[in-house]
Amino acid sequence: MTIAALRRLLDEIDTQGGPDAARQWHLRLDDQPRPAAGQATPTPTPPSTDLRAAIAELLRGGATYPEVREQLGVGSYTTIAQVRHAEGIPVVRRPRPTRSVEETYALYAEPYGDGHARWTGPWAGRMPQIQHPGWRGRKESALRVAFRLEYGREPVGNVRAGCGEPGCVAAAHTTDRDMRKALARPRTRAA
Ligand SMILES: [Zn+2]
């Protein structure tokens, strides 16, 4: 199938119902009892093999529904949801790319104790991580975002919590290399 033919097909599917119709369709679908294991999932309007493959590939790559639409040019949420269910592709938990980094920080930094905050969002190894808005937006340490929020400037060197609380991401507790040097100076002189 050519790209032009695929776009025509997607356009055709799109006219069946936009996001609002898709949402209502899902509400009804969720009210139905789930099919028992081994039984085939009912697919009212099965999309073509090429379209399914294109959607499945994007979903497996971690694309959100709006991103799948953006990549293919067209395509209804209903169709994308059908493919995800049929192929058993899990929903990828990650920051929504439409959120600003500051909004993402506020969403995932959970305050506790004496002004500390724990990270409830995505991690890259042991580093709390925030993704910048947009398709494949760059990823950045949540501590750097917190530092900029608190001090209004880019940090110098690594950002670490200065409170000694393991894993703390509270903006007011972040320190950069310059701040740590300044704090260490009097102690160095005394020693
Ligand atoms: Zn702290």
Side-chain angles (χ1 to χ4, degrees), residues 116 163 165 168 173:
H116 304 297
C163 60
E165 180 77 4
C168 179
H173 293 180

Side-chain angles (χ1 to χ4, degrees), residues 158-181:
N158 286 334
V159 177
R160 290 187 204 133
C163 60
E165 180 77 4
C168 179
V169 295
H173 293 180
T174 55
T175 61
D176 72 348
R177 198 172 61 206
D178 280 1
M179 290 166 73
R180 289 191 296 272
K181 253 192 229 167

